[in-house]
Amino acid sequence: MMAYRSSAAFQGVLSAFKHVCLRPRCSVICRYSTVYDTHEKTFDKILIANRGEIACRVMKTCKKMGINTVAIHSDVDSNAVHVKMADEAVCVGPAPTSQSYLNMDAIMLAIQQTGAQAVHPGYGFLSENKEFARRLAAGGVTFIGPDTYAIQAMGDKIESKLIAKTAKVNTIPGFDGVVKDAEEAVKIAAEIGYPVMIKASAGGGGKGMRIAWNEEETREGFRFSSQEAASSFGDDRLLIEKFIDNPRHIEIQVLADKHGNALWLNERECSIQRRNQKVVEEAPSTFLDPDTRRKMGEQAVSLAKTVKYSSAGTVEFLVDSQKNFYFLEMNTRLQVEHPITECITGLDLVHQMIRIAKGYKLQHKQSDIGINGWAIESRVYAEDPYKSFGLPSVGRLSQYQEPLSFADVRVDSGIQEGSDISIYYDPMISKLVTYGSTRAEALKKMENALDNYVIRGVAHNIPLLRAIIVHPRFVSGDINTKFLQEVYPDGFKGHVLTAGGRCDLLATAAALYVAAQLRSQKFLGNLRVSSVPPETRCWELLVELEKGVYVLSVSHSGQNYIIEVDGEKVVVSGEWDLASPLLPITINGKHRTYQCLQRSASGEITLQYLGTSFKLRVLSKLAASLSKHMPEKIPEDTSSILRSPMPGSVVAVSVKPGDRVAEGQEICVIEAMKMQNSMTVAKTGKVKSVHCKAGDTVGEGDLLVELE
């Protein structure tokens, strides 16, 4: 059943609502050299067949071009930002993507109802589905992307590799065919030589991909990759190729029109990844020299011309330490990380795609395309970075504040305070982009932006992003696709405090505690009870941090707090707006931005410092002497139980009560945000009870299996 809304009265109310609620989502970084000629005839109305930040991103350019927009949405997305931003909106089904955003029949009906002349697919969902493009063409609707031949040729990993060879593009050694079953996969892998990459023929975005180093991993990888491929793309065909160890992932943005003209718009460095999905990207790459950049660009354009490509597209390469590069795949759509290319070229890629789809020639020549400055993109996810570098988190954004008050910061998002992050869709919150004339400048702005980004209600990966961009290896450009595993071999643990950092954190917590105590003594600016002047007061405090207890002495004068920690004096000053989530302060003359995540009457304070959350407890001497009489909570024994580490749906359960299981054995499989995760048992034992079944929806921490 479809719901459709559009009326003059409703649009008037909605327009006023948008004016109040939907603030711009980027600052002065959006300095496109593009001139939006509203007199240049393109389309009157475009339907965006997507959701979230990319739908909002496309709508912004449409509005600049004077084009009306239509949003589609599932029933759970009825109040989403992209729905509010559009001129019209149509509900295309319930929450599961197969029944809504992948429901071609419902989307085609929405196009018919609204009279949309063209469709922009964004990325993911139907953006690289040749059948969708074919149906649009048959219905006389323009698909803002390449034609069906290019989508099919480049969307099929096997066919694309053969075409790349024809176009004289460097390719990775591998098996040029479809792998039939797990046993054939083992045979092919042995012939190619380990390690191998098993990946979906119709895939992308890191889904349906597994690295195998032996026969057992090949069989397991075949199973999971085929299941993920079928779930995400409706196509479970797989291919196998040689895995190039420790490569860089560098891609070339191409732009081609329907008249045989094609450009390469420089590269994007996308080597920082987890589970084959990108986390931090930058443009340009620190690794490429002009000659290698030109060769990669020319090969990318050659491939685009070979398949008569027309639109924005991306050719991805793996690059080894000797700057040898190999074709990986071509994405026939707008890439997630396209903003950093826009920053360094000044081109609005969505604008270019719309013009090309209408049949216009490219406005630029290759000689016009340069590199102006440096741009960094951090993908902000609703994920817990302490679990496998990021397992999904769901919930409602109880507080949300983007760092848009700073120059050269861009935030592409499709959410706002009060939005829900659900199990049904990708957990991306936003793409945070900073721009500078140099890489160092862009990185410094990213540090500042991450420190001032307020997200409450869900776990998020800002601690990991903040740690990456200041790590010496990243700063020096010494990166590859195994960066996270190499830098954090035991998993990400958060920022490790130095002695100086610990001192600053203790002093800040103590100053914050005293500021709150002083505020509680006042009512309407006046003291509640007679008291000696605060300037003459001195507080003796005990602060607990990371199992250590520290004695601090605090004195106060105006906005300044003088804290003595381990014989050292620290001066902390600030405006102390205790209602604000941000805590901009100065410590011994050096500016820092903390975030106060929690503050309770019992002295518990949680501060976000350099991206990482630290729990502290600040007590007066009297309170500290009494706290030792409080009983301690005994932690749960988790050795005999298996709890879900993330919210998701149970795909399969492989044990039953009474079964004997060995340490590391798979118990069940949970799918979260289209990724399948194998849950294994921590010790050998006998299954006492099973608390889930295939098809169940589970939350983080839910009990799955219990051992005797």
Side-chain angles (χ1 to χ4, degrees), residues 306-511:
T306 299
V307 294
K308 296 181 173 55
Y309 195 84
S310 60
S311 192
T314 298
V315 181
E316 300 189 349
F317 294 93
L318 290 181
V319 185
D320 67 19
S321 59
Q322 303 304 310
K323 297 185 181 177
N324 299 307
F325 56 91
Y326 305 93
F327 171 71
L328 185 61
E329 63 182 2
M330 182 176 188
N331 292 314
T332 57
R333 54 169 167 81
L334 189 65
Q335 202 82 328
V336 175
E337 57 273 17
H338 75 274
I340 53 177
T341 294
E342 294 182 326
C343 288
I344 67 167
T345 63
L347 297 181
D348 180 337
L349 294 185
V350 174
H351 174 254
Q352 297 296 324
M353 293 178 75
I354 293 172
R355 291 189 73 260
I356 291 168
K358 188 61 179 177
Y360 290 107
K361 290 184 178 181
L362 293 179
Q363 296 173 307
H364 302 84
K365 298 179 181 179
Q366 190 62 58
S367 58
D368 298 329
I369 308 302
I371 298 176
N372 180 26
W374 213 286
I376 313 282
E377 176 179 284
S378 293
R379 297 194 188 188
V380 182
Y381 283 102
E383 292 181 338
D384 186 345
Y386 304 104
K387 297 177 180 177
S388 301
F389 298 112
L391 291 184
S393 172
V394 299
R396 177 164 294 174
L397 291 169
S398 57
Q399 199 167 13
Y400 184 73
Q401 184 176 313
E402 296 172 350
L404 294 174
S405 60
F406 302 97
D408 296 327
V409 173
R410 168 175 170 174
V411 183
D412 281 16
S413 66
I415 48 91
Q416 60 187 4
E417 195 167 289
S419 292
D420 289 315
I421 307 296
S422 75
I423 65 171
Y424 299 106
Y425 311 117
D426 188 274
M428 181 184 287
I429 293 174
S430 72
K431 300 179 307 197
L432 176 63
V433 181
T434 56
Y435 171 83
S437 58
T438 64
R439 185 171 186 261
E441 184 181 325
L443 284 173
K444 191 63 183 176
K445 290 176 179 177
M446 181 61 74
E447 284 184 52
N448 194 37
L450 289 169
D451 286 342
N452 286 273
Y453 204 146
V454 177
I455 302 172
R456 306 282 190 273
V458 296
H460 55 77
N461 68 332
I462 283 180
L464 177 62
L465 296 172
R466 184 64 167 74
I468 290 171
I469 63 166
V470 298
H471 194 279
R473 273 190 58 181
F474 183 83
V475 173
S476 68
D478 177 19
I479 60 176
N480 57 52
T481 56
K482 284 189 174 181
F483 176 87
L484 291 179
Q485 297 95 313
E486 291 174 353
V487 171
Y488 308 108
D490 299 320
F492 179 66
K493 307 298 182 184
H495 175 73
V496 179
L497 287 173
T498 62
R502 182 178 296 103
C503 182
D504 289 352
L505 192 58
L506 291 168
T508 301

Side-chain angles (χ1 to χ4, degrees), residues 674-706:
K674 301 181 185 179
M675 297 292 287
Q676 295 197 357
N677 304 272
S678 176
M679 301 293 105
T680 59
V681 69
K683 70 175 185 179
T684 300
K686 187 176 182 180
V687 178
K688 178 181 178 181
S689 57
V690 178
H691 297 266
C692 63
K693 62 182 183 300
D696 283 356
T697 298
V698 296
E700 181 180 354
D702 284 1
L703 183 62
L704 303 175
V705 174
E706 191 174 0

Side-chain angles (χ1 to χ4, degrees), residues 512-546:
L512 183 60
Y513 174 86
V514 172
Q517 293 295 311
L518 290 173
R519 189 180 72 165
S520 68
Q521 296 173 6
K522 295 182 179 181
F523 179 73
L524 297 178
N526 298 313
L527 290 174
R528 294 175 183 266
V529 293
S530 59
S531 174
V532 294
E535 287 77 4
T536 63
R537 293 282 304 273
C538 184
W539 290 262
E540 296 293 329
L541 303 175
L542 272 73
V543 183
E544 300 172 3
L545 172 63
E546 295 183 332

